Amino acid sequence: MIVKKLDDVLGTEHEVKGGNWTSRRLILKDAGMGFSMHDTLIHAGTETLIWYKNHLEAVYCIEGKGEIEVLPDGPTYPIEPGTLYALNGNEKHLLRAEKEMRMICTFNPPLTGLEVHDDEGVYPVMD
Ligand code: 9YT
């Protein structure tokens, strides 16, 4: 069994700063769960291009306010606490935060821990 607190991750290599966001990675591939789980802050006033070609991601907002625009033609959905979105089609998207958003993110396959986005907003598959 794994029991962890956010404080255990803060200030370690698993607090990953991606420019527009800070991802606090709580469960990673080495935990053997088959998914990773992150407590992620999307900083206020930012717009981020993301395209997880190699991963499925589900995101649950617990704080803040923003929106997600599916590319290339929409739609755009508002995000507030209690909103979940699941990128079950590897959708390319723009994520905008009006107020800092705190998001619980799960990835399948799990991240190994140190991934950051490339220019297209993609995470590589790390083995
Ligand atoms: C919500 C989202 O996709 N944010 C970008 C960071 C990423 N989810 C992560 O690694 O926590």
Side-chain angles (χ1 to χ4, degrees):
M1 182 170 172
I2 300 163
V3 177
K4 233 183 212 187
K5 300 194 77 162
L6 181 58
D7 269 353
D8 299 332
V9 171
L10 300 181
T12 73
E13 63 175 355
H14 292 155
E15 181 181 27
V16 177
K17 299 184 185 193
N20 290 349
W21 47 266
T22 301
S23 177
R24 292 85 63 92
R25 296 179 171 164
L26 292 158
I27 294 177
L28 291 161
K29 184 176 181 182
D30 64 356
M33 298 291 288
F35 59 86
S36 60
M37 180 177 286
H38 320 159
D39 180 332
T40 297
L41 301 173
I42 311 293
H43 303 308
T46 61
E47 176 182 84
T48 308
L49 174 67
I50 301 176
W51 192 7
Y52 294 133
K53 297 180 195 180
N54 305 312
H55 299 82
L56 299 173
E57 185 195 26
V59 179
Y60 185 65
C61 177
I62 57 171
E63 291 174 14
K65 186 176 179 196
E67 63 182 19
I68 178 171
E69 178 179 345
V70 181
L71 296 177
D73 299 318
T76 298
Y77 300 97
I79 300 172
E80 60 181 13
T83 305
L84 169 105
Y85 65 84
L87 300 163
N88 58 340
N90 304 92
E91 291 90 344
K92 188 176 188 175
H93 59 281
L94 286 169
L95 186 61
R96 300 187 188 96
E98 184 181 327
K99 296 182 190 164
E100 180 169 85
M101 295 193 290
R102 186 171 176 198
M103 320 284 260
I104 306 303
C105 309
T106 53
F107 279 83
N108 169 22
L111 269 57
T112 61
L114 306 179
E115 292 91 341
V116 289
H117 293 171
D118 70 11
D119 290 344
E120 278 191 311
V122 177
Y123 284 146
V125 176
M126 314 258 283
D127 272 318

